[in-house]
Amino acid sequence: MKFKTIVEPFRIKVVEPTRQTTDAERAAAIRAAHYNVFQLDAEDVLIDLLTDSGTGAMSVYQWAGMMRGDESYAGGRSFHAFVRSVQEITAFRHVIPTHQGRAAEHILSGALLKPGSIVPNNTHFDTTRANVEHRGAVALNLPVAEAREPQTVHPFKGNMDVAALERVLAENAGNVPLVMTTVTNNAQGGQPVSMENIRRTSALCRAHGVPFFIDACRFAENAWFIKTREPGYADRTPLAIAQEMFSLADGCTMSAKKDGMANIGGFLAMNDDALAVTCRNSLILAEGFPTYGGLAGYDLEAIAVGLGEALDPDYLRYRIRSVEYLAEKMVAAGIPVVRPAGGHALFLDARGWLPHIPQSQYPGVALCIALYVEGGIRGCEIGSVMFGQQPDGSERPADMELVRLAFPRRVYAQSHMDYVAEVLLHVNTIAKDIRGVRIVEQPRVLRHFTAKFEPVPR
Ligand code: F0G
C-alpha cells in the first residue's frame, strides 16, 4: 500500500450519538454496577469494546436486504437466500438457522454428547464450554504451548496441539463424539488457526471416525490471517480460503453476530443426514421451524448479505490493521499485550501489567474497572472470573488474566483508536495504584455476567 493511514472502507450515513460522562459520574456508575462492567448501562459508556458480537454496523445492502425479508413461517424466500449464502462459503449439505451461536452449540451438544464424553477444542469459548458441561461432558482445551505465552510472537497461536489431540483420541477411543476448532481462537487472544493445522486436525478426526466441527464465528478474519501469514495463500481470495477451511470439516457452529455482520443470528451446518434430522427436531422444540430457526425473515437476509461482506478484502484489511495499529502503540509504550494482535480484539495482559495484584484478586476485572473509570471504555475480563469456576463449584485460576478490547465491526474509526490508546497510556501511569477485587456474590455458572465485586482494601 502506498499510504499508511487506515481509511475506513465506508462512508457514514447514519450516526448514533455517544455521551461524554464526568469522572464522578463514572465512579458512581461502576459502584452501582457492583464493579461488574456487564451491569453498566451502555448509555454511560463512551467507547464500548465489551464485545464484537452483534454490535456491528450493517451496510446499506444489508438494510435493503431486510426490506426484502420474507416472513413466511415455512419455506420463505429469505431462508433460501440464507442457505445459498452459507453454502457458497461452507458447502455443507444441511444448514439450520438458529437465533445465535450458542443455540447451535446447545443443539449439537444435545445430539452428540453423553455424560463423561470428552470434547477437545483448540480452546472452548465460554458458551461452548458451558454447553458441553451442561451435558455432563468434559470440555478439553488443547491449544499449542505458545498460546499460553502472551509475549511469544507466533503467526498461528490459535492452533490446536495436534500431538495432544492424537493422544486424547487414542486413549479415549469411543468416548470422543466431537472435536472442534475455534477460528479465530477467541479465548486465547483472537489468534488464528493455520490451514495446515486445520488439515492435520481433520485428518486425525477422519482416521478415528470422529466428527470434526469448526466454531466458525470469525472465519473471515481467520481466512485473512491465512492469506497474509501462511505460505502459499497470498494470491487466494478470502472466500477461496474459507471454502478450503470448511471443506476439511464435517460441519460448523456459527454466530452470525460476528463474521455474519448481523446484529442477531447464527446457524448449525453439517453433512451428516441423520445428525441433521436429530438437530432439526430439537430446533423445532426450542428455536422454531427449520426454515427460520429463531430468526425473522429479515434477519436471514441480513446474514445472507453480511457473510459475503465479511470476506471483502478491503474490509478485512481495515479491520485487522486497526487492531494491529493499537497493539503497536501499546508495544511501543511497554504495555503488555497478547502478541501478535488478534483479529477482533486487543488483549491486554492484566497479570503482566498489574503484577502487584494476585490472581486470586482478579487483575483483569481490576483493569476493566480502571479503563471505565478513567476513560469511559468498556472491555471484558477473559481470565479467572470467566474461566476459574469449575463445574463442582471449586476454583482454579485461568492460564492467563486478559482484558479483551473487542472491536464492533465498522463502528469505530481511527480517532476512536487514538483515544483508546491515550486512555491506555494514562492508565499505565497509575497502574501501581489499581486495586484488586473480591467476589461478593456469584451464580453457579457463567458468573462473569452477573457476579458482584468490591475493591480489596489497600
Ligand atoms: N463461539 C465463540 C468463539 C464465540 O466468541 C461466541 C460468542 C460464541 C461461540 C457464541 O455465540 O454469542 O452468538 O451465542 N462470543 C461473544 C464474545 C459473546 O463476546 O466473544 P453467541
Side-chain angles (χ1 to χ4, degrees):
M1 300 295 269
K2 194 165 161 193
F3 301 107
K4 287 204 169 58
T5 308
I6 307 166
V7 179
E8 289 78 22
F10 47 80
R11 296 185 295 195
I12 296 165
K13 194 166 218 161
V14 178
V15 297
E16 183 176 13
T18 50
R19 194 170 73 89
Q20 294 279 354
T21 49
T22 63
D23 288 2
E25 283 170 336
R26 290 192 300 277
I30 196 74
R31 204 176 315 117
H34 299 280
Y35 299 93
N36 185 338
V37 292
F38 280 100
Q39 300 297 318
L40 287 169
D41 277 339
E43 289 261 289
D44 295 332
V45 176
L46 181 62
I47 305 226
D48 204 344
L49 308 179
L50 186 64
T51 178
D52 62 322
S53 181
T55 50
M58 290 208 297
S59 70
V60 289
Y61 305 108
Q62 287 178 290
W63 282 109
M66 288 182 77
M67 289 304 295
R68 280 195 308 265
D70 176 352
E71 304 304 337
S72 303
Y73 191 91
R77 197 174 55 237
S78 300
F79 172 69
H80 295 299
F82 168 78
V83 171
R84 272 196 303 279
S85 175
V86 174
Q87 285 183 333
E88 187 196 358
I89 299 166
T90 69
F92 292 127
R93 198 153 47 229
H94 303 282
V95 180
I96 300 172
T98 59
H99 82 277
Q100 60 184 86
R102 68 197 68 182
E105 295 159 12
H106 183 77
I107 291 168
L108 185 67
S109 303
L112 292 178
L113 311 189
K114 293 198 303 272
S117 301
I118 296 172
V119 184
N121 195 322
N122 52 348
T123 308
H124 292 270
F125 196 61
D126 58 354
T127 58
T128 328
R129 189 175 102 127
N131 270 302
V132 169
E133 290 174 350
H134 180 64
R135 306 288 168 180
V138 178
L140 185 65
N141 289 343
L142 298 177
V144 289
E146 291 87 350
R148 294 197 168 97
E149 302 158 5
Q151 302 306 317
T152 304
V153 175
H154 180 286
F156 291 105
K157 275 173 108 169
N159 280 353
M160 175 93 79
D161 181 341
V162 185
L165 176 64
E166 188 163 18
R167 275 196 304 278
V168 170
L169 288 169
E171 287 165 12
N172 299 279
N175 198 31
V176 180
L178 173 68
V179 171
M180 295 189 79
T181 278
T182 305
V183 299
T184 56
N185 190 343
N186 186 4
Q188 300 280 0
Q191 300 293 321
V193 182
S194 71
M195 191 73 81
E196 196 219 343
N197 191 258
I198 297 174
R199 201 177 294 121
R200 290 174 62 198
T201 302
S202 168
L204 270 178
C205 290
R206 285 183 182 165
H208 286 82
V210 174
F212 170 47
F213 274 60
I214 294 181
D215 177 340
C217 296
R218 299 176 181 86
F219 75 96
E221 291 167 8
N222 201 75
W224 185 256
F225 282 119
I226 289 176
K227 180 177 171 66
T228 52
R229 293 184 185 171
E230 190 159 348
Y233 287 94
D235 297 329
R236 304 273 299 278
T237 62
L239 172 62
I241 294 169
Q243 287 167 332
E244 185 178 340
M245 281 162 41
F246 289 112
S247 75
L248 296 166
D250 301 303
C252 72
T253 55
M254 172 73 185
S255 168
K257 301 171 75 172
K258 284 86 170 176
D259 281 350
M261 304 292 244
N263 298 123
I264 194 71
F267 56 86
L268 174 60
M270 65 201 65
N271 287 327
D272 186 315
D273 299 332
L275 179 62
V277 171
T278 309
C279 290
R280 283 204 181 94
N281 287 337
S282 62
L283 183 85
I284 293 175
L285 199 61
E287 293 277 295
F289 191 74
T291 63
Y292 70 86
L295 298 170
Y298 54 65
D299 295 323
L300 294 168
E301 292 280 353
I303 298 166
V305 177
L307 288 168
E309 292 183 353
L311 288 163
D312 172 20
D314 287 342
Y315 157 73
L316 283 169
R317 185 179 298 109
Y318 138 79
R319 174 144 180 89
I320 303 298
R321 177 62 197 144
S322 316
V323 180
E324 188 185 54
Y325 169 80
L326 195 57
E328 282 169 5
K329 287 183 182 285
M330 296 307 105
V331 172
I335 294 174
V337 297
V338 174
R339 298 175 66 194
H344 63 300
L346 178 71
F347 288 72
L348 304 165
D349 174 8
R351 212 170 151 195
W353 200 0
L354 309 174
H356 60 285
I357 302 180
Q359 265 185 297
S360 58
Q361 292 180 12
Y362 309 115
V365 171
L367 184 54
C368 285
I369 296 168
L371 292 176
Y372 175 69
V373 170
E374 297 302 321
I377 296 170
R378 176 155 69 169
C380 169
E381 188 249 23
I382 305 231
S384 290
V385 172
M386 186 179 276
F387 294 119
Q389 191 180 32
Q390 303 307 307
D392 64 3
S394 67
E395 176 105 18
R396 189 169 67 212
D399 289 341
M400 298 191 282
E401 303 295 339
L402 304 178
V403 168
R404 185 185 72 171
L405 303 181
F407 289 87
R409 291 169 180 75
R410 303 188 290 207
V411 168
Y412 294 117
Q414 183 158 357
S415 68
H416 294 104
M417 296 289 161
D418 288 330
Y419 173 81
V420 172
E422 201 182 336
V423 172
L424 289 168
L425 295 179
H426 164 72
V427 168
N428 198 27
T429 65
I430 58 161
K432 56 182 185 319
D433 299 324
I434 296 174
R435 287 186 287 162
V437 296
R438 66 180 202 90
I439 293 177
V440 182
E441 210 181 293
Q442 62 177 4
R444 285 181 56 87
V445 287
L446 295 172
R447 66 177 172 180
H448 47 293
F449 295 127
T450 55
K452 295 180 178 172
F453 301 97
E454 68 183 17
V456 173
R458 220 179 291 277

